[in-house]
Amino acid sequence: MEPTETLSADDAGIARAAALLRAGQLVAFPTETVYGLGGDARNDQAVARIFEAKGRPRFNPLIAHVADLEMAETLAVFDAQARALAQAFWPGPLTLVLPLRPEAGISALVTAGHDTLAVRLPAHPVASALLRAFGGPLAAPSANPSGRVSPTRADHVRAGLSGRIAAVLDGGACAVGVESTIVSLGPEPRLLRPGGVPAEALEAALRQPLPAGGSETAPNAPGQLASHYAPGAPVRLGAHAAETGEILVGFGPVKGDLTLSASGDLVEAAASLFHILREADALAGPEGRIAFAPIPEKGLGRAINDRLRRAAAPR
């Protein structure tokens, strides 16, 4: 990959960042919480590159950042409570987990295969300008290698991700320094992750208690334990050929009924994983099984294998 560019937070830098994002590249940008690692939330390949750049071990859900409430409402379904919180705390460090609109066009890697979307309207003026210039939602976890301290300055991003991403949009130090608060609003409000908006302020706006929530088996936002995405059909791993009643999903030299990547490209495999799981499940039917060819345990292969092991676990 080309060396990582450092872009000034002026009109030219923001225009360059937006052009890179439209081309499917990754750009780190400041929010009021921490620097986010942005990629087009509608582009499977771009989102897969986010996981690759971070060395993220699992396909956890990502937050979609938007330019305004109007954009958010084209992606997710807002009820009265969601609108009340958005009006009270947006723009700002609050993420809402809401029902995903089927027509939104969001990559399944952003939602980790769920029917909900984590969405946020950041307050940082540079983030706001970039989102307006880009004209769409940006998936953006913290711009640091997975497991490392979240970055609050551009040099933190460069220290961890230089050479792995296209550019860093330098907007100075982040004011809040901790990630956004995450609240799920269906069917009852739940606090999924403490963050930049205190729970007490949210409870005051909702006029009701906000209990802690989240799921070990099906997290629908970052900051929870890894999800278990399982198709209806049983899954067998490490297959070089299909057995009777199996749909074989190939990779590289192992050919199948479907393939994650005929060329053995792990970014392509990651980008197609959730789509292929669903397609294979439909082909297998109620009595069938799914077999997956071996995936190398390196780079994005670790994340792919993590999800496949969970899909294959006894249930």
Side-chain angles (χ1 to χ4, degrees):
M1 187 173 182
E2 296 294 322
T4 297
E5 299 179 39
T6 296
L7 303 174
S8 299
D10 53 19
D11 289 347
I14 289 166
R16 171 64 176 161
L20 288 168
L21 290 163
R22 283 192 287 272
Q25 299 299 312
L26 305 184
V27 175
F29 64 95
T31 76
E32 70 277 21
T33 57
V34 299
Y35 272 74
L37 179 55
D40 186 346
R42 303 157 299 190
N43 182 328
D44 290 334
Q45 293 274 344
V47 179
R49 290 189 184 104
I50 292 174
F51 289 94
E52 180 185 44
K54 285 179 64 68
R56 200 175 178 107
R58 301 183 179 96
F59 291 130
N60 292 336
L62 303 177
I63 296 170
H65 293 67
V66 295
D68 49 40
L69 180 57
E70 183 180 8
M71 183 185 292
E73 294 205 76
T74 68
L75 307 177
V77 179
F78 280 70
D79 61 11
Q81 285 186 319
R83 285 198 182 88
L85 290 182
Q87 289 166 1
F89 299 105
W90 277 5
L94 174 66
T95 295
L96 300 177
V97 178
L98 302 169
L100 175 69
R101 291 190 182 277
E103 70 276 15
I106 295 294
S107 168
L109 284 175
V110 173
T111 63
H114 291 284
D115 58 3
T116 55
L117 177 68
V119 61
R120 179 163 101 83
L121 174 57
H124 198 290
V126 176
S128 179
L130 176 62
L131 284 158
R132 288 196 304 272
F134 177 64
L138 291 176
S142 57
N144 57 292
S146 187
R148 302 289 181 85
V149 178
S150 295
T152 57
R153 298 175 183 271
D155 58 353
H156 298 167
V157 179
R158 288 190 291 267
L161 297 178
S162 183
R164 299 192 203 179
I165 64 176
V168 181
L169 189 57
D170 190 345
C174 301
V176 177
V178 296
E179 286 85 353
S180 62
T181 303
I182 302 180
V183 174
S184 171
L185 288 171
E188 293 294 328
R190 297 278 179 181
L191 178 66
L192 302 185
R193 182 179 76 181
V197 175
E200 294 83 356
L202 295 165
E203 289 176 331
L206 290 168
R207 299 182 180 180
Q208 67 181 82
L210 186 61
S215 167
E216 295 185 4
T217 57
N220 49 11
Q224 303 172 56
L225 296 181
S227 64
H228 177 121
Y229 178 89
V235 173
R236 181 170 69 92
L237 305 181
H240 291 271
E243 297 179 353
T244 302
E246 286 185 335
I247 296 297
L248 177 61
V249 179
F251 177 81
V254 178
K255 309 304 179 186
D257 304 284
L258 303 168
T259 184
L260 288 172
S261 173
S263 64
D265 185 311
L266 289 172
V267 173
E268 181 185 5
S272 62
L273 176 61
F274 289 108
H275 302 290
I276 292 292
L277 271 169
R278 291 180 184 277
E279 189 174 351
D281 199 28
L283 289 173
E287 304 299 325
R289 295 177 296 157
I290 305 169
F292 278 86
I295 306 294
E297 192 69 28
K298 64 179 184 179
L300 274 183
R302 293 194 298 271
I304 296 167
N305 284 324
D306 173 84
R307 185 48 58 97
L308 289 177
R309 283 191 289 268
R310 292 168 190 277
R315 55 188 190 274

